[in-house]
Amino acid sequence: MAITAVVSDSVTIFDSVNIPNESQRLIDNHVHETRGLELCIAPIVSVVVITFNDKDFIRESIDSVISQQTNFPYEVIISNDCSTDGTIEIIQEYQNLYPDRVRLLIADRNLWKPLPGVIGLTSLAALQACRGKYIALSHGDDYWTDPTKLQKQVDFLEANPDFSICFHKVKMLENNAFRKDDLTKVPDFMSDIHDLAKGNYIHTTSCVFRNNYPGMDKIGEHFSRVINGDYYLHMMNAQHGKIFCIDEEMAVYRVHGNGVWATQSLQYRILETLRTQMYIYKDLQENQSMAKEILTRSIVNLSVYLTSEYPDASFEDLGEFLTPLLVKEIGNLKLELVRTRSIKAMVTAIPRKILSKAKGAVAKLGLVPFFSLSNQV
């Protein structure tokens, strides 16, 4: 990927990468960058802040990033999805105040769901633009609480080249009250792709990872098709190394009415998790057979649970992918059920013992440790 040379005006950026052509065309035509002449040449970390209509929160979010105390240069890429509430004017203030660090990517139309089956192109655009050796993620409505957060995470990754991801604990903020994080269940302070395949336990705003896919050229073709883009990203990155959790609360995850995930129904979260896991399965490298096997178990459990608990749920569009997994799991299905590729018909034939096991597995998962790279509804 080629980044346009340093400019002081608004320009269109990015060469085409390995994603559907129409998605890339939308990015090329509608996402524009503003950067200052003083921009640092070789940042060690690229901090990505995704924002949409975050006027009430964005200052706190950016201030927490700008105030980081590091012994290395870093850039802050603020990607805005055509906000209409004054957020754009605020982030432009910060770009003027910190031209050596802040880059603005502003979409001139909303790219959250610009095409059927395509989601969050401003997130993809921001990741394409990252120049750092490492990438840190945050949202316009979340914020960091430790000014040495980046330094701690980069120090760990520099000292441990066999680790690909470093994250930490967070606090939850809801209705102006803090509480412990009850959304994620970290298996251990050291984990790997097999643990992560069981469910996402990494908060977006806590994560720093190696830039394993510069320009997002080889990330996998389905990144822009999932609402849980960060989980997809973590799984792709976990193919390149282990995962470490710092046992400190160094950020705040805000729960509010405009959130894309926490406020959604369980049915919605199950269905979108199912889609995300399906695309992760498709895009994992061939040598990740164990991770795929773990994903298969979760996919079967989710599809069984979804159909049994929500009879009106529609996900027949996933039938081509799900049918072979269900057939493999449930060996006594009638041939006509396989021919019709009817997921609901197959689940009807599932023995009660398997159904009970699936419900227990989903209940244990909790279906809450999945977050999106966008905070839009």
Side-chain angles (χ1 to χ4, degrees), residues 166-221:
C166 179
F167 72 105
H168 56 77
K169 295 182 177 180
V170 304
K171 287 183 180 179
M172 311 288 292
L173 177 59
E174 185 174 12
N175 297 324
N176 295 318
F178 290 103
R179 58 182 170 86
K180 288 288 186 180
D181 174 19
D182 57 3
L183 292 182
T184 57
K185 300 175 182 178
V186 180
D188 202 344
F189 296 119
M190 288 191 291
S191 56
D192 59 22
I193 191 171
H194 304 131
D195 300 300
L196 194 60
K198 299 173 185 177
N200 186 23
Y201 43 82
I202 302 173
H203 277 277
T204 303
T205 196
S206 76
C207 188
V208 174
F209 54 89
R210 298 184 189 277
N211 193 354
N212 295 306
Y213 302 96
M216 298 291 282
D217 286 355
K218 299 177 181 179
I219 186 64
E221 63 178 298

Side-chain angles (χ1 to χ4, degrees), residues 252-265:
V252 170
Y253 171 74
R254 195 186 306 265
V255 180
H256 58 92
N258 292 328
V260 70
W261 190 251
T263 59
Q264 299 295 327
S265 68

Side-chain angles (χ1 to χ4, degrees), residues 282-300:
K282 286 185 175 183
D283 289 352
L284 284 177
Q285 298 169 0
E286 291 184 4
N287 63 354
Q288 296 295 338
S289 56
M290 184 176 294
K292 287 188 173 185
E293 183 178 333
I294 295 169
L295 277 172
T296 298
R297 171 63 55 191
S298 181
I299 288 166
V300 169

Side-chain angles (χ1 to χ4, degrees), residues 278-337:
M278 177 185 74
Y279 285 127
I280 290 172
Y281 183 100
K282 286 185 175 183
D283 289 352
L284 284 177
Q285 298 169 0
E286 291 184 4
N287 63 354
Q288 296 295 338
S289 56
M290 184 176 294
K292 287 188 173 185
E293 183 178 333
I294 295 169
L295 277 172
T296 298
R297 171 63 55 191
S298 181
I299 288 166
V300 169
N301 285 337
L302 289 176
S303 61
V304 169
Y305 184 91
L306 183 62
T307 304
S308 62
E309 294 296 306
Y310 302 98
D312 296 329
S314 175
F315 57 110
E316 294 297 329
D317 58 310
L318 306 183
E320 184 176 354
F321 175 78
L322 285 172
T323 296
L325 297 182
L326 289 169
V327 170
K328 182 179 178 181
E329 174 70 15
I330 308 151
N332 62 348
L333 290 174
K334 297 179 181 179
L335 185 59
E336 57 267 25
L337 295 180

Side-chain angles (χ1 to χ4, degrees), residues 4-287:
T4 306
V6 175
V7 295
S8 59
D9 202 358
S10 187
V11 297
T12 303
I13 59 176
F14 314 127
D15 286 341
S16 293
V17 295
N18 186 25
I19 63 171
N21 292 336
E22 184 64 14
S23 297
Q24 190 61 47
R25 185 191 67 81
L26 287 169
I27 291 175
D28 292 339
N29 291 342
H30 296 287
V31 179
H32 309 280
E33 176 177 8
T34 300
R35 60 167 105 171
L37 294 172
E38 302 90 342
L39 189 67
C40 63
I41 301 301
I44 298 300
V45 178
S46 295
V47 180
V48 171
V49 180
I50 304 299
T51 181
F52 172 76
N53 284 353
D54 289 318
K55 179 187 67 173
D56 295 335
F57 312 121
I58 190 65
R59 290 187 186 277
E60 188 171 27
S61 177
I62 299 175
D63 284 340
S64 72
V65 174
I66 292 294
S67 63
Q68 288 294 298
Q69 301 167 9
T70 67
N71 60 13
F72 53 80
Y74 65 94
E75 64 180 358
V76 183
I77 301 172
I78 307 173
S79 188
N80 183 273
D81 200 3
C82 198
S83 291
T84 58
D85 68 341
T87 298
I88 292 176
E89 290 73 17
I90 294 173
I91 63 177
Q92 287 171 336
E93 289 178 25
Y94 279 91
Q95 204 276 326
N96 291 329
L97 285 171
Y98 304 98
D100 59 327
R101 276 182 280 178
V102 175
R103 300 166 60 189
L104 300 186
L105 304 185
I106 299 178
D108 60 23
R109 59 161 287 188
N110 190 272
L111 296 177
W112 172 229
K113 292 184 178 180
L115 297 169
V118 175
I119 299 173
L121 292 185
T122 49
S123 299
L124 177 58
L127 291 166
Q128 287 178 335
C130 292
R131 299 177 298 151
K133 179 180 179 180
Y134 304 103
I135 298 175
L137 303 176
S138 193
H139 285 158
D141 54 352
D142 299 331
Y143 62 95
W144 299 346
T145 55
D146 186 335
T148 63
K149 162 192 151 64
L150 276 186
Q151 188 70 56
K152 291 175 180 176
Q153 291 178 277
V154 169
D155 284 348
F156 177 84
L157 291 170
E158 286 284 284
N160 298 276
D162 54 333
F163 282 77
S164 181
I165 300 170
C166 179
F167 72 105
H168 56 77
K169 295 182 177 180
V170 304
K171 287 183 180 179
M172 311 288 292
L173 177 59
E174 185 174 12
N175 297 324
N176 295 318
F178 290 103
R179 58 182 170 86
K180 288 288 186 180
D181 174 19
D182 57 3
L183 292 182
T184 57
K185 300 175 182 178
V186 180
D188 202 344
F189 296 119
M190 288 191 291
S191 56
D192 59 22
I193 191 171
H194 304 131
D195 300 300
L196 194 60
K198 299 173 185 177
N200 186 23
Y201 43 82
I202 302 173
H203 277 277
T204 303
T205 196
S206 76
C207 188
V208 174
F209 54 89
R210 298 184 189 277
N211 193 354
N212 295 306
Y213 302 96
M216 298 291 282
D217 286 355
K218 299 177 181 179
I219 186 64
E221 63 178 298
H222 295 105
F223 174 77
S224 61
R225 292 180 173 270
V226 298
I227 196 171
N228 311 114
D230 59 343
Y231 183 41
Y232 178 101
L233 186 61
H234 300 333
M235 283 293 290
M236 296 302 115
N237 282 320
Q239 296 179 106
H240 298 274
K242 295 179 288 186
I243 305 165
F244 185 74
C245 176
I246 296 177
D247 189 19
E248 298 179 44
E249 294 176 336
M250 295 191 286
V252 170
Y253 171 74
R254 195 186 306 265
V255 180
H256 58 92
N258 292 328
V260 70
W261 190 251
T263 59
Q264 299 295 327
S265 68
L266 180 59
Q267 178 180 340
Y268 174 89
R269 285 180 281 160
I270 292 175
L271 181 57
E272 293 305 325
T273 298
L274 190 58
R275 293 183 194 280
T276 300
Q277 291 184 330
M278 177 185 74
Y279 285 127
I280 290 172
Y281 183 100
K282 286 185 175 183
D283 289 352
L284 284 177
Q285 298 169 0
E286 291 184 4
N287 63 354

